[in-house]
Amino acid sequence: MATVGLLYVGAVLFINGLLLIGVVDGRAAAPINLFVGALQVVTPTYLIIASGGAPAVVLAASGLYLFGFTYLYVGIGLLAGLDTAGIGWFSLFVAIAALGYAVVNFRLLNDRPFAVIWLYWAFLWALFFVVLGLKHESLARYTGWVTIIQSWVTATIPAFLLLTGYWPTNNVLALGLVVGGVVVFGGLFLLERRRAPRAPAPTHRPPVPAATA
């Protein structure tokens, strides 16, 4: 059930990435955030209730709320025109929590590829904090492309592999994700910096009074 939710996390990340690079309008992106956010809140609630208190199930389900609350927050914020500072600072909380879940997957669950995926999410939500919470909008386009890439690498493709029973938990995949993440996201950052327009040289002109209404 949680794996099905992961598949649609890929969908909402894809749309939100397009939102950040200016392809999708905010109101158009709101419904998918609300749909997936609701799914990511209902699913862990059901899993926890049905678990009979099994610690491993409760632990695995608890992380889903981080994403469910994020998408609900985003969807409501887009429709209501809320300031992004709230979701930005909540994203910092998610980024820090994701580091803990990475350790859990690495040491307790022995799923090292998914531990790296949690690190991917920590990085992405840290970017959300910088762009939305600290208002560094110059990184919005970079964050959008990182979001689009992660929608496939951390959600859609792993979900399909998990659903079909082909998800590997070996160190080779984990190492490949680490190297690939550093190369792709680092190269993308350098590419975005090169394409960013340079500020025009200042011109020495006498000040012009501001126009009045």
Side-chain angles (χ1 to χ4, degrees):
M1 190 170 182
T3 304
V4 174
L6 181 64
L7 180 66
Y8 293 99
V9 165
V12 74
L13 286 177
F14 182 69
I15 296 299
N16 288 345
L18 295 176
L19 171 65
L20 285 167
I21 65 174
V23 174
V24 173
D25 177 73
R27 292 182 66 85
I32 187 67
N33 278 276
L34 295 175
F35 295 153
V36 178
L39 177 65
Q40 293 295 87
V41 169
V42 172
T43 297
T45 301
Y46 170 80
L47 292 174
I48 290 172
I49 292 173
S51 70
V57 177
V58 174
L59 176 63
S62 64
L64 301 180
Y65 286 113
L66 296 171
F67 307 109
F69 293 153
T70 296
Y71 305 135
L72 288 175
Y73 207 150
V74 170
I76 293 170
L78 290 172
L79 291 176
L82 301 178
D83 182 79
T84 62
I87 184 62
W89 283 93
F90 177 69
S91 295
L92 176 61
F93 174 85
V94 175
I96 295 171
L99 295 176
Y101 283 98
V103 174
V104 167
N105 277 267
F106 187 84
R107 301 198 59 177
L108 297 182
L109 304 180
N110 199 32
D111 190 341
R112 294 180 178 178
F114 233 91
V116 178
I117 285 177
W118 274 101
L119 293 178
Y120 271 53
W121 288 334
F123 172 60
L124 180 58
W125 262 255
L127 287 174
F128 292 155
F129 164 64
V130 173
V131 172
L132 303 176
L134 300 183
K135 311 289 188 179
H136 290 297
E137 296 181 359
S138 61
L139 287 174
R141 183 177 173 84
Y142 172 72
T143 302
W145 281 112
V146 172
T147 305
I148 291 170
I149 294 169
Q150 288 208 20
S151 73
W152 297 97
V153 175
T154 70
T156 304
I157 295 174
F160 269 114
L161 293 175
L162 286 165
L163 287 169
T164 56
Y166 286 105
W167 176 252
T169 59
N170 55 62
N171 294 336
V172 175
L173 178 58
L175 181 60
L177 287 169
V178 170
V179 174
V182 171
V183 171
V184 172
F185 298 142
L188 181 61
F189 180 76
L190 295 176
L191 182 63
E192 284 296 313
R193 287 197 62 181
R194 289 187 61 182
R195 72 173 296 278
R198 295 184 178 180
T203 57
H204 299 284
R205 295 184 300 175
V208 178
T212 58

